[in-house]
Amino acid sequence: MKRGKEVYRKVVKNILDFLIGVCGFPFFLIALIFLGPAIYFTDKGPIFYNANRIGKDGKLFKMYKFRSMYVNAPDIRTESGDTYNSEDDPRVTKIGRLMRKTSVDELPQLLNLLNGTMSLIGPRPDPPDWLDKYTEEEREFLKVKPGITGYSQAYFRNSVEAKEKIANDVYYAKHCSFAMDVKIFFRTILVVINHNNVYRN
């Protein structure tokens, strides 16, 4: 059983991620054709938001998203260090609100699947300044690739604070399996369709 999980995590999961990236690429292009001009003409800024994020083994990588905020929007954090996230956030554009609500802004991360820096299922990656804040136990989740969606994202989305999210990520890293990923995948679909926990109360 343990051997099967290891084969899945180290071999099968990578193959599936690449195939999903290839199959999903046309949908990314379609979204780019329709959303690209809307994002650009909002404030004549870039279409993509390329953010440095913490990847597997603590290595930094570029995570791609459709830009949902105005150009030069300030980085606002809560007292716990979480990224500020609210329905009335003035930094977010009108098209950005729609993309966030439907999670369409995450589609460019299919490129991260293709270049091997992300997985479809895994912990959502944190900004670089979090790397020195993790305890040794928390660093356990860095043993797996970050994901477009994950255990914490599927069950709690944006409703939990950073430390609880990290605890969920550690749980995922310790129990990752094909069956668990399938559950997370379908749970994510339900969360996106129902617009659950898009913003923190």
Side-chain angles (χ1 to χ4, degrees):
M1 185 71 173
K2 186 176 181 181
R3 174 65 178 169
K5 283 187 176 182
E6 284 300 307
V7 172
Y8 170 69
R9 292 172 62 159
K10 294 182 178 180
V11 181
V12 177
K13 191 172 172 68
N14 290 332
I15 295 173
L16 289 176
D17 286 334
F18 182 77
L19 292 176
I20 291 168
V22 171
C23 294
F25 190 71
F27 295 97
F28 159 68
L29 290 179
I30 293 171
L32 178 60
I33 291 170
F34 287 97
L35 294 175
I39 296 170
Y40 174 76
F41 286 111
T42 295
D43 57 0
K44 302 295 179 66
I47 295 172
F48 298 103
Y49 171 65
N50 305 326
N52 282 322
R53 290 290 183 266
I54 302 170
K56 188 175 183 292
D57 300 322
K59 296 177 181 178
L60 299 185
F61 73 99
K62 288 284 187 183
M63 184 183 76
Y64 308 115
K65 298 180 71 173
F66 283 128
R67 182 171 61 88
S68 60
M69 289 188 178
Y70 289 102
V71 174
N72 298 324
D75 182 17
I76 303 176
R77 304 288 182 93
T78 63
E79 290 183 4
S80 63
D82 297 326
T83 300
Y84 177 74
N85 182 40
S86 172
E87 190 170 4
D88 59 356
D89 189 341
R91 300 173 300 165
V92 181
T93 63
K94 288 184 179 180
I95 187 67
R97 294 185 199 285
L98 175 62
M99 290 192 298
R100 287 188 172 195
K101 193 171 184 179
T102 57
S103 293
V104 173
D105 59 322
E106 312 285 357
L107 269 178
Q109 284 159 48
L110 289 167
L111 301 175
N112 290 112
L113 293 188
L114 293 174
N115 67 22
T117 53
M118 291 183 71
S119 177
L120 177 65
I121 311 292
R124 287 297 291 168
D126 293 319
D129 59 312
W130 271 96
L131 192 55
D132 296 329
K133 300 177 183 178
Y134 301 140
T135 65
E136 279 304 309
E137 182 180 352
E138 289 172 342
R139 294 179 74 90
E140 178 73 21
F141 80 86
L142 296 178
K143 293 181 180 180
V144 297
K145 286 183 184 179
I148 296 177
T149 186
Y151 173 73
S152 190
Q153 187 77 357
Y155 287 90
F156 307 100
R157 205 170 184 180
N158 295 317
S159 66
V160 296
E161 294 188 350
K163 282 297 182 179
E164 186 173 346
K165 170 203 167 288
I166 292 172
N168 293 333
D169 291 340
V170 171
Y171 176 84
Y172 172 80
K174 290 180 177 179
H175 298 87
C176 174
S177 67
F178 176 72
M180 188 176 192
D181 280 357
V182 170
K183 290 178 182 178
I184 291 171
F185 176 76
F186 286 107
R187 173 74 182 184
T188 298
I189 292 175
L190 290 176
V191 166
V192 172
I193 290 174
N194 294 324
H195 308 307
N196 293 338
N197 299 322
V198 177
Y199 304 102
R200 184 174 303 150
N201 293 327

